Amino acid sequence: MKWIRPLSAEAEESAEVLGAKARGLVALQRLGLPVPPGFVVTTEACRAFLRNGHLPDGFTSELADAIRDVEAATGRRFGGPGRPLVVSVRSGAAVSMPGMMDTVLNLGLTAETTAALAAETGDARFAHAARQRFLSTFAAATADVDANVSDGIAVRDDATVPDDAARQLERALGAVFSSWHTERARTYRELHDVPHDLGTAVVVQAMVFGNRDAHSGSGVAFSRNPNTGENAPYGDVLFGHQGDDVVSGRTRTRPLLDLAEHAPTVWAALRTALWRIEESLRDACYVEFTFQGGELWFLQCRPARFSAAAAVRVATDLADAGTITREAALLRVTPLHLRHARTPRIAPSPDVDVLTRGVGACPGVAVGRVATTAETALRMAATGPVVLVRPETSPHDMPGLAAATGILTARGGPTSHAAVVARALGKPAVVGAPLPTGDRALREGTLITVDGTTGTVALGAPPLTTTEPDAAVERLLTWADTVSGTHPPEPEPRLAAAHAVLRDAG
């Protein structure tokens, strides 16, 4: 059995073998969009590793061949002298599980290759920062802790970071496979009914350095606004940073539109790519990208996840544009979408005691008592609703995110970890909201209200108001009545009747 596949436009196997991330990259390659060279370690290899506790027989030789192919594509050498090949190691299950498994960046930077990178770039500070990022992500993956380490420090009691690129890669692959069984990953799968026996694929690609120079950066982009469905690119960008800085929430991001002023050539290429991807997918999309020296590269692509109201608008707009049929639009919207499309929000009033304001990351209102750690959220949720309040969230907070009614973070933007997970879970969230201090500080157990539409956070439980269904909802329901030939009085049965007719028709 072969355990590794080249990452190429010719790849035909399904996401069950290659993972959804690799399938998205293959789709980008078929469109002629720039994707860093690399290969995919299949889900079959992961299952074999989890079953036997080690990489499968014959895997090491196959891995060496795959690395040689990337060396040939890049003109670089993995772990050897000259221009060093540095790679990323990213999980990619058949079903998207954002941030739930481990990633290792800048792998292949040994003491020797770090010096070679410094010589190639003429920038020793950059090379050292790249090496530190590798050590940090490697330590976090292999020890499953957040860590910043220096050369030679123990990652766990029986191991140090290997100063050999091939050994680094084997260790990193094992760590990513093992992260399939972490508590955060299991919690996410249980919430989304994802089987526990699927395993994850792993994508290994040549690094693109968003922190290389003033003409480099990283970002996340939606082709349409995930909160409203507006047909305009939306997301976050950071100049002079790598991609995990964007999604972690640790660093204050800038609006995606800043790219137009700072890097107009990259912005123009990104906008064109988003349009082409939408046309190909026949759906709104989400991409992760990096640009180095003004050259744009794509690292991930998938259909975007939206709030309920945005999902309705996107479906109807795509049908109006002729991208999909009205029948397809009806099937993309669920009764649950309609139930949440009438979004509650805090009613405007001078009596509302506003604690802070941030970015509304997922519409809706959550009322609950403050929990400041994932563990506390789990405990308090047993006796009533809680709002998880954190500086920023990480995958380690997943059990608390699942238990919470709403989410509030002091840092991060609309594509940060907290925002992405909140939308996936359908939980109201506000991110990037400065937390009050002194007498107004949010202490454990304080009752607060989080408005994920306006970004407002208020003390107590102020009165709420509910928006009326917008034009997109009414238009969709008119189509539903035409398909079903009926007109039930409530929105959800109207849509369900159309679904029944369409499914019976095959």
Side-chain angles (χ1 to χ4, degrees):
M1 176 180 285
K2 292 288 187 181
W3 306 106
I4 297 175
R5 309 288 190 274
L7 189 59
S8 78
E10 286 72 44
E12 296 291 346
E13 289 169 294
S14 69
E16 283 66 33
V17 176
L18 301 180
K21 182 173 292 178
R23 287 304 317 171
L25 293 173
V26 167
L28 293 177
Q29 289 176 312
R30 290 177 178 173
L31 290 173
L33 295 173
V35 173
F39 55 87
V40 187
V41 184
T42 66
T43 57
E44 295 160 328
C46 176
R47 290 193 291 270
F49 176 90
L50 295 176
R51 208 168 38 241
N52 302 319
H54 57 78
L55 295 170
D57 292 341
F59 183 86
T60 299
S61 173
E62 202 175 330
L63 184 61
D65 289 342
I67 282 291
R68 278 192 287 272
D69 288 342
V70 181
E71 288 177 327
T74 59
R76 293 179 172 276
R77 181 81 179 273
F78 188 61
R83 299 171 68 232
L85 172 62
V86 184
V87 300
S88 61
V89 182
R90 292 182 169 95
S91 64
V95 178
S96 178
M97 296 172 55
M100 293 302 113
M101 288 175 287
D102 289 323
T103 291
V104 179
L105 300 178
N106 303 353
L107 188 142
L109 284 177
T110 63
E112 179 185 6
T113 56
T114 301
L117 183 63
E120 178 192 351
T121 61
D123 190 342
R125 185 173 183 177
F126 159 71
H128 180 70
R131 165 76 169 169
Q132 290 302 115
R133 181 65 61 100
F134 159 65
L135 293 169
S136 177
T137 57
F138 187 88
T142 54
D144 201 28
V145 295
D146 293 324
N148 290 299
V149 300
S150 58
D151 289 338
I153 195 167
V155 173
R156 54 190 183 197
D157 290 343
D158 62 344
T160 59
V161 179
D163 201 42
D164 174 85
R167 287 180 58 216
Q168 289 175 2
L169 183 54
E170 289 188 6
R171 283 273 306 280
L173 288 170
V176 175
F177 286 155
S178 297
S179 68
W180 177 259
H181 281 327
T182 58
E183 181 185 8
R184 61 185 184 269
R186 295 187 70 86
T187 299
Y188 187 92
R189 292 197 296 273
E190 287 164 2
L191 287 169
H192 294 274
D193 297 321
V194 177
H196 289 303
D197 59 357
L198 294 182
T200 183
V202 178
V203 177
V204 179
Q205 288 176 282
M207 279 297 306
V208 180
F209 291 104
N211 61 334
R212 174 63 192 89
D213 54 30
H215 304 289
S216 304
S218 301
V220 170
F222 293 85
S223 59
R224 303 182 186 226
N225 188 306
N227 294 328
T228 67
E230 179 188 0
N231 186 9
Y234 180 91
D236 290 327
V237 67
L238 276 173
F239 303 106
H241 285 263
Q242 291 190 261
D244 60 334
D245 295 326
V246 178
V247 298
S248 69
R250 292 188 298 268
T251 305
R252 185 174 294 277
T253 56
R254 295 170 64 172
L256 183 67
L257 290 177
D258 283 6
L259 197 58
E261 179 181 350
H262 191 281
T265 303
V266 173
W267 171 243
L270 177 63
R271 290 198 65 176
T272 299
L274 290 173
W275 177 81
R276 292 184 62 199
I277 296 166
E278 267 209 5
E279 288 292 301
S280 176
L281 290 179
R282 297 181 179 272
D283 201 354
C285 66
Y286 164 96
V287 300
E288 296 178 11
F289 65 91
T290 295
F291 54 101
Q292 179 179 329
E295 186 176 2
L296 176 66
W297 297 87
F298 289 96
L299 307 179
Q300 184 169 357
C301 170
R302 59 174 168 79
R305 292 173 174 168
F306 291 95
S307 69
V312 175
R313 178 173 174 180
V314 170
T316 54
D317 282 355
L318 290 173
D320 288 342
T323 304
I324 61 174
T325 65
R326 290 181 175 183
E327 291 77 12
L330 286 166
L331 290 172
R332 287 188 182 185
V333 177
T334 68
L336 188 62
H337 282 135
L338 293 185
R339 190 179 310 162
H340 292 296
R342 295 183 63 195
T343 308
R345 58 183 68 183
I346 296 173
S349 168
D351 297 327
V352 175
D353 189 352
V354 175
L355 291 166
T356 186
R357 297 184 193 275
V359 177
C362 186
V365 169
V367 181
R369 299 195 178 277
V370 169
T372 57
T373 67
E375 294 76 14
T376 304
L378 276 170
R379 186 180 69 252
M380 292 175 60
T383 58
V386 300
V387 174
L388 181 63
V389 179
R390 300 283 295 146
E392 72 272 338
T393 65
S394 77
H396 297 278
D397 292 314
M398 189 62 215
L401 291 165
T405 300
I407 301 158
L408 169 62
T409 66
R411 296 191 286 268
T415 60
S416 64
H417 178 268
V420 171
V421 172
R423 282 190 290 271
L425 299 178
K427 299 195 175 192
V430 173
V431 298
L435 299 182
T437 58
D439 293 341
R440 304 274 286 172
L442 294 178
R443 293 178 172 81
E444 211 93 67
T446 302
L447 184 68
I448 63 170
T449 298
V450 170
D451 185 336
T453 301
T454 66
T456 301
V457 181
L459 185 65
L464 306 180
T465 185
T466 302
T467 57
E468 291 301 315
D470 63 16
V473 172
E474 293 301 331
R475 192 158 69 255
L476 185 87
L477 291 174
T478 299
W479 300 346
D481 295 342
T482 300
V483 167
S484 69
T486 63
H487 189 104
E490 296 298 322
E492 292 168 52
R494 289 170 72 182
L495 181 62
H499 281 182
V501 171
L502 292 171
R503 287 172 179 143
D504 285 347

